[in-house]
Amino acid sequence: MNTVIRALDAINEVVGRIVACLSIIFAFIILYDVIMRYAFNAPTRWAFDVTTQMYAFYFVMLGGYALKHQSHVRVDLITETFSDGLRRMVEIAGYVIFYFPFTYVFLTRSWEFAARSYAQGETTYGAVQLPVYPLKMAMTVAAGLLLLQGIVEVLKLVAGQYYWKDTSLVEEPHHGS
Amino acid sequence: QDSWTMTTTWPSSLELIETDKHFVDLANKLTGDELQIEFYEGGALVPAGEVFGAVESGTIQAGGDWPGYWAGRDAAFSPLATTPSLFNAVDYVNWIQQWGGAEIYDEIYGQFGMKYLPYGVTNNESGFRTNEPIRTLEDLQGKRIRVSGLEQGKLLEQLGGNQVSMAGGEIYQALERGVIDGGEFSTPNVDWSAGFQQVTSAWATPGWHQSASVFGVMINQQSWDALSPETQEKLQIAADATLLWSLAFTEKRATEAYAKFDEVVEITRYDDETLEKIQTMANDVIVETACENENSAKVYLSMVEYLGDYAQWRDASAPFNLGRTPNGPDVEALRECAPAE
Amino acid sequence: MGPELIALVMFGLLLLGLFMGHPLAFVLGGTAVLGALIAGKPMVLGIVVNRIFGDVLSNFTLIAIPLFVLMAQFLSNSGVTDKMFESLRLLMSNVRGGLALAVVFISILLAATTGIIGASITVMGVMALGPMLRYGYSPTLTTGVIAASGCLGILIPPSIMLILMASYSPLSVGELFAGSMIPGVLLGLLYAAWVAIIARIRPDMAPSVEPDEKLPRGQLIRMLAIEAVPPLVLILGILGSLLAGIATATEASAIGAILALVIVVVRGRFTLPSFYQALLDTGKTSAMILFIVVGATAFTGVFNITGGLRATQELMRALDFAPWLLILVMMFIVFILGAFLDWTGIVLLSFPIFLPIVQEMEGISLLWFVCLMAVVLQTSFLTPPFGYALFYLRAIAPKEVKTSHIIMGVLPFIALIVGMALLMALFPGLVTWLPSVLYSSSASS
Ligand code: NA
Ligand code: NA
């Protein structure tokens, strides 16, 4: 079981470690566009659409990675007073009641959404026409990654690996909103 | 009793939503116990760009729109929404009601499992709003201007400007920040409701990029088919009544807004020679676009055939005629690109 | 089941999920799905994906979120902000209660840079909590000051919350930034005044700084020039470019992130591992924030389409109160919601209900209303049981600081926020004056 958990856990870790690098790239693209616009009066035709699509790809693909690192804000005021056994039950119930219904709908509806866009060859409209379906496909993949990480997190709880006891998570540099 | 959920592409802050509301009120009065349409302002259910998908998939039964927003799915939606320097509002009404236009809307929307009832028509859009006045085409050189539409973008680029595409809600901030040098959105009253007088000081008329516009409601085909013929007819009556209402309503409101703009911005006008030049270029862009997409060619062909057909009587009735007969694109060039009948 | 009941059940599920300790983003998303099923309208679930794609993935203005986070991460991961605070703290050492005042003023500046409360509270907490407790400041005052001033980031421009508010209202980002500038800074000054008063009447809660910690003037100036000036120039440069109308929030955030990186490199504090760590942390934080937006948009869509929006609107209209009383009720709702929901959730839920009603009111400026709401929302981070500021602070505070200290500590500041809101109600010019100067014709609409 631990091997399975480790293997599945690695998927979002790898995705996260690669996708997280995009932020600095779209920062530079915007900077490049700003320089071209103000210094050379020659704005790019593509920067607006490309950075919007990159930003969307970036954050949506990182959802599972953030879950793996317990970065999604939660309120543990009450559950932290529970015993490990009770807290495990409540945590698993949270996944069953809220997480899986949402990610399942997100995955299946995104898939229909992306498939329709692909079948219609949907593009952005205007003098520059970019295809829209790749981002919709990415959203579907991202929903799948979320669902997968949710399963992994439940498996960890079942196997007795409690995130609230995981020092590597607690000691990480803090991140928040 | 059937109950429909309907939304629109317009938020409550834009006056365009009045046409949608007028239709819904009329329809609900006429259909009485048979059908109740529950209307939500734009954004309350789905964002503007997703109304098409929500109706197509049957998540909601109806959605008010401007067809041009869907040109990324089929270029033919563009002439169903507006034309560069071609139709005026009355042309759209004539064409839709008597020259086969309504069937063409149903055919294009029908590809996506939807029925379409055109219920709004506005005449000429404002034109470009800028901070540096545009008096001649020379003033357009190198300008970054928000224009929506494929034909409109191509035309602007041929005239030396750069098209910037952005959603209506983003134009204000982009103008304010100087991200764009100018922009167009809609008719004067709608532009006023969007606050462009706060961020621009000049306005170039007329709006050659959109000589007139059509609005209407997309209806999921299954929902439409489930209605009795009587109810369908009542919805058609509500749409026809709203079509006429919208024309007079917008012209009245645009007149009022023009007077308000005249107090706070400098209004300029292109000379006739410039407009003729733009007409020639617009004709080329129309033929070029039509020849890249069969459906688009089919729509333009039908529209230009109407213009030719109507020209004799329209010109004979001058000066009491309904608008001009434009020196439009070559009908034979369009026929070559359109699918064989 | 009637729309009113469905709306109640959805709020009940929301509370249940939050109390169960499940991540907020997925409590919102899950409640959306359950709400649709309970209403017997599984068909409407289609709008969940329509909304996520259209409102979040296609929303150009939200690009500023990861980029402002990135800027903050570069500065804090490399220790640049630590040094900046330390030098400013020493600058303030002659003033009674100076450390607490320094925290307030640094927070206002930091606030202006990031607009991310987690970042400012954590950085301020790590920086100032230890020294303040060591020098005898009471745990109550210490935690109160840090939590309250750390939240100012979301009010003083540039702010992610104001950007989000602009994209959900007919107002522009520029107008909102200008409108909330004076109330935000004034609130900061109110905090400072409160600290100064406490330091004078209760010296046991805020003692003076020991003389031996003070630096000679020359050394202090050198330290300020090296440690404080570059990040402050970055802050002022970004604020300036936004206010001068040169750059959009997105452009400013990209420039800010890259300039922060440049400062780190020039200071010789650049290392590949800390650079990469900043990217990873930015990814987690951005995903966390934006998935709350995802969950909230799903929740709002289903809440609206199952009739909750209409029921609430009708309830508000049926109240038939005078405008000022209705606005008071709205602010009270925001205050109460703030105890349970994050600001994104509150904005996304309340804007579609409140704004149309306020727009119909004669003589009420929408800009004023939204800025008033932004100020009242400050309480949403501070009010127990669900105040994010409380949790961030709890996470970094030593054991001897009790949760009750933190809660007692923020109470006076909640009172100050309410006082600020009253001031804005009495003097609407506090909001409308700056926008009317910057955007000369905006007052006319
Ligand atoms: Na337009
Ligand atoms: Na801020």
Side-chain angles (χ1 to χ4, degrees):
Chain A
M1 178 130 156
N2 285 347
T3 328
V4 175
I5 290 175
R6 259 199 306 278
L8 295 178
D9 223 14
I11 297 174
N12 268 300
E13 185 64 26
V14 171
V15 171
R17 284 180 170 268
I18 296 169
V19 174
C21 299
L22 280 178
S23 57
I24 189 71
I25 296 175
F26 61 77
F28 272 105
I29 292 178
I30 295 172
L31 181 71
Y32 171 79
D33 187 49
V34 167
I35 292 172
M36 292 308 286
R37 168 174 303 157
Y38 295 106
F40 301 100
N41 197 27
T44 64
R45 297 170 81 214
W46 49 269
F48 181 85
D49 285 323
V50 168
T51 47
T52 308
Q53 295 209 355
M54 268 179 98
Y55 136 84
F57 179 81
Y58 168 79
F59 95 81
V60 83
M61 293 297 270
L62 288 173
Y65 176 72
L67 184 70
K68 176 177 182 290
H69 288 267
Q70 300 299 330
S71 298
H72 290 292
V73 164
R74 55 167 89 229
V75 180
D76 46 15
L77 199 66
I78 294 165
T79 48
E80 73 179 357
T81 66
F82 292 172
S83 70
D84 282 352
L86 178 59
R87 186 165 181 183
R88 168 163 81 175
M89 297 304 295
V90 172
E91 292 274 348
I92 293 174
Y95 279 96
V96 171
I97 300 173
F98 296 101
Y99 192 93
F100 292 126
F102 171 69
T103 45
Y104 174 77
V105 166
F106 190 24
L107 175 63
T108 51
R109 300 292 176 140
S110 293
W111 167 246
E112 291 166 18
F113 191 61
R116 199 180 299 128
S117 173
Y118 179 77
Q120 294 173 3
E122 186 192 358
T123 64
T124 56
Y125 71 100
V128 179
Q129 290 170 292
L130 287 179
V132 177
Y133 70 85
L135 185 57
K136 293 185 173 178
M137 290 286 181
M139 184 165 80
T140 312
V141 172
L145 287 170
L146 266 182
L147 185 58
L148 171 75
Q149 195 59 38
I151 294 169
V152 176
E153 294 303 319
V154 169
L155 287 178
K156 284 184 197 167
L157 289 166
V158 170
Q161 300 173 18
Y162 303 136
Y163 71 86
W164 57 92
K165 294 263 165 79
D166 187 341
T167 48
S168 72
L169 289 169
V170 173
E171 279 162 19
E172 249 177 58
H174 205 87
H175 30 74
S177 81
Chain B
Q1 184 204 8
D2 262 347
S3 173
W4 281 7
T5 301
M6 170 173 166
T7 189
T8 171
T9 47
W10 315 116
S12 59
S13 55
L14 288 179
E15 211 167 276
L16 289 166
I17 200 172
E18 295 306 320
T19 310
D20 303 309
K21 286 181 177 168
H22 194 268
F23 166 77
V24 173
D25 284 348
L26 264 182
N28 278 338
K29 273 178 204 155
L30 289 174
T31 56
D33 293 336
E34 303 144 46
L35 174 70
Q36 199 58 30
I37 302 175
E38 193 162 357
F39 178 72
Y40 292 85
E41 68 183 54
L45 304 185
V46 292
E50 299 297 324
V51 176
F52 186 95
V55 177
E56 180 189 18
S57 63
T59 302
I60 58 176
Q61 289 72 41
D65 77 339
W66 175 67
Y69 281 154
W70 326 125
R73 287 172 163 89
D74 188 325
F77 282 115
S78 187
L80 294 182
T82 186
T83 55
S85 303
L86 201 64
F87 266 27
N88 67 18
V90 167
D91 288 324
Y92 266 118
V93 174
N94 286 345
W95 177 64
I96 286 168
Q97 298 205 337
Q98 297 295 330
W99 267 270
E103 290 74 33
I104 289 186
Y105 280 89
D106 280 338
E107 185 183 330
I108 301 296
Y109 278 95
Q111 299 176 105
F112 302 91
M114 290 187 276
K115 159 83 185 168
Y116 196 74
L117 298 177
Y119 62 46
V121 62
T122 58
N123 203 47
N124 192 208
E125 294 217 336
S126 309
F128 296 165
R129 302 188 178 280
T130 55
N131 279 306
E132 285 174 36
I134 294 171
R135 296 190 176 86
T136 66
L137 291 180
E138 202 48 45
D139 297 326
L140 276 176
Q141 299 305 311
K143 291 275 193 303
R144 288 160 287 125
I145 296 180
R146 186 275 180 184
V147 180
S148 69
L150 179 59
E151 290 87 334
Q152 287 72 16
K154 283 182 178 176
L155 187 49
L156 178 65
E157 294 197 348
Q158 285 185 13
L159 291 168
N162 292 309
Q163 179 185 26
V164 181
S165 300
M166 59 179 66
E170 288 163 356
I171 307 171
Y172 180 98
Q173 198 203 344
L175 281 168
E176 176 184 48
R177 295 288 168 217
V179 172
I180 51 178
D181 301 308
E184 60 79 32
F185 182 55
S186 185
T187 49
N189 52 318
V190 179
D191 285 1
W192 185 273
S193 68
F196 295 132
Q197 66 282 7
Q198 297 168 16
V199 287
T200 55
S201 58
W203 168 17
T205 62
W208 46 262
H209 65 291
Q210 282 186 245
S211 49
S213 304
V214 173
F215 306 84
V217 60
M218 307 175 274
I219 299 169
N220 183 279
Q221 190 71 50
Q222 285 179 345
S223 308
W224 175 259
D225 292 343
L227 298 177
S228 69
E230 293 75 29
T231 310
Q232 290 179 347
E233 196 182 352
K234 286 172 183 170
L235 290 185
Q236 184 68 62
I237 291 167
D240 288 344
T242 306
L243 194 68
L244 184 58
W245 174 86
S246 70
L247 176 58
F249 173 77
T250 312
E251 287 303 281
K252 174 74 161 49
R253 296 287 297 151
T255 303
E256 292 163 2
Y258 182 89
K260 286 196 276 185
F261 271 110
D262 202 20
E263 284 175 19
V264 291
V265 307
E266 180 187 348
I267 304 176
T268 60
R269 192 182 155 77
Y270 304 95
D271 59 33
D272 292 350
E273 198 183 326
T274 303
L275 289 176
E276 251 171 65
K277 188 175 168 194
I278 291 173
Q279 181 73 62
T280 312
M281 293 168 87
N283 294 343
D284 292 345
V285 166
I286 286 173
V287 172
E288 181 193 324
T289 312
C291 290
E292 286 165 3
N293 176 295
E294 277 202 342
N295 283 339
S296 177
K298 184 174 179 177
V299 176
Y300 274 121
L301 177 62
S302 170
M303 294 170 87
V304 173
E305 280 177 343
Y306 147 78
L307 287 174
D309 197 24
Y310 182 42
Q312 275 194 309
W313 162 236
R314 168 144 71 181
D315 293 346
S317 58
F320 312 108
N321 53 350
L322 292 168
R324 62 173 197 147
T325 296
N327 188 12
D330 179 9
V331 70
E332 289 312 317
L334 289 171
R335 206 182 312 270
E336 264 173 44
C337 293
E341 286 300 318
Chain C
M1 205 186 285
E4 295 84 1
L5 198 54
I6 294 163
L8 274 179
V9 169
M10 285 181 76
F11 274 112
L13 282 168
L14 210 56
L15 280 184
L16 175 73
L18 288 174
F19 278 118
M20 285 170 71
H22 199 68
L24 173 63
F26 306 109
V27 171
L28 287 162
T31 303
V33 172
L34 296 177
L37 296 180
I38 291 167
K41 295 180 177 174
M43 202 56 227
V44 305
L45 285 174
I47 69 167
V48 167
V49 169
N50 287 136
R51 286 180 70 95
I52 292 172
F53 187 81
D55 275 343
V56 196
L57 275 83
S58 314
N59 192 338
F60 182 73
T61 53
L62 294 178
I63 302 182
I65 290 180
L67 295 177
F68 276 132
V69 175
L70 187 62
M71 176 175 77
Q73 289 290 359
F74 280 151
L75 289 178
S76 66
N77 276 29
S78 60
V80 167
T81 37
D82 285 6
K83 287 287 182 188
M84 177 183 96
F85 298 145
E86 197 181 317
S87 59
L88 287 174
R89 185 175 69 84
L90 290 174
L91 178 70
M92 300 286 288
S93 65
N94 281 334
V95 187
R96 190 189 289 266
L99 203 46
L101 285 175
V103 168
V104 173
F105 287 117
I106 293 166
S107 291
I108 294 178
L109 291 176
L110 186 74
T113 353
T114 64
I116 299 155
I117 57 159
S120 36
I121 288 176
T122 330
V123 174
M124 294 308 299
V126 169
M127 250 302 297
L129 201 57
M132 283 181 78
L133 294 174
R134 246 195 330 278
Y135 289 112
Y137 282 79
S138 79
T140 319
L141 181 65
T142 304
T143 52
V145 163
I146 294 173
S149 344
C151 297
L152 277 175
I154 213 75
L155 180 61
I156 297 176
S159 142
I160 287 165
M161 183 177 79
L162 295 176
I163 292 171
L164 190 84
M165 285 179 151
S167 68
Y168 285 92
S169 72
L171 299 163
S172 73
V173 176
E175 281 177 298
L176 273 180
F177 276 13
S180 59
M181 180 66 86
I182 292 176
V185 173
L186 219 53
L187 192 56
L189 293 177
L190 275 182
Y191 290 175
W194 170 251
V195 169
I197 291 169
I198 287 288
R200 199 150 286 280
I201 61 172
R202 290 284 303 272
D204 57 310
M205 289 179 79
S208 308
V209 173
E210 299 297 322
D212 63 322
E213 233 222 332
K214 293 176 185 168
L215 285 177
R217 197 190 202 103
Q219 211 178 324
L220 179 62
I221 289 175
R222 203 168 324 120
M223 186 173 179
L224 280 171
I226 296 171
E227 305 294 355
V229 171
L232 289 179
V233 167
L234 172 63
I235 294 166
L236 296 177
I238 286 171
L239 251 186
S241 69
L242 273 165
L243 284 179
I246 294 170
T248 61
T250 307
E251 292 168 348
S253 66
I255 295 166
I258 289 163
L259 283 183
L261 182 60
V262 169
I263 290 176
V264 171
V265 170
V266 169
R267 285 299 187 66
R269 294 219 177 85
F270 179 87
T271 64
L272 211 52
S274 84
F275 172 72
Y276 189 50
Q277 192 59 46
L279 292 183
L280 293 180
D281 289 344
T282 302
K284 290 173 211 161
T285 308
S286 306
M288 183 270 285
I289 299 172
L290 290 162
F291 267 91
I292 292 176
V293 183
V294 163
T297 199
F299 178 89
T300 312
V302 173
F303 182 77
N304 290 351
I305 203 169
T306 54
L309 172 72
R310 196 129 297 171
T312 319
Q313 275 173 343
E314 273 160 20
L315 187 73
M316 302 279 309
R317 288 217 170 85
L319 286 178
D320 193 30
F321 287 166
W324 69 268
L325 194 56
L326 202 53
I327 287 175
L328 193 68
V329 170
M330 289 176 184
M331 289 303 140
F332 186 69
I333 291 173
V334 167
F335 180 79
I336 295 298
L337 281 181
F340 303 101
L341 274 180
D342 170 67
W343 60 264
T344 33
I346 299 175
V347 170
L348 296 181
L349 265 183
S350 65
F351 268 36
I353 298 174
F354 289 176
L355 297 198
I357 298 176
V358 174
Q359 276 176 308
E360 284 168 17
M361 290 179 181
E362 289 291 320
I364 300 287
S365 145
L366 193 65
L367 176 64
W368 170 82
F369 176 83
V370 171
C371 290
L372 181 68
M373 201 172 136
V375 167
V376 174
L377 265 175
Q378 284 283 300
T379 60
S380 80
F381 315 122
L382 298 174
T383 38
F386 302 112
Y388 292 93
L390 309 181
F391 303 129
Y392 289 123
L393 207 54
R394 178 68 273 170
I396 52 167
K399 283 267 184 293
E400 64 263 27
V401 176
K402 301 269 184 298
T403 303
S404 59
H405 285 140
I406 303 179
I407 291 175
M408 289 304 290
V410 297
L411 288 182
F413 292 92
I414 294 177
L416 288 175
I417 297 168
V418 173
M420 186 66 227
L422 287 177
L423 274 179
M424 291 165 75
L426 292 174
F427 308 104
L430 289 173
V431 174
T432 51
W433 176 75
L434 191 57
S436 70
V437 171
L438 290 176
Y439 312 101
S440 47
S441 58
S442 61
S444 66
S445 76

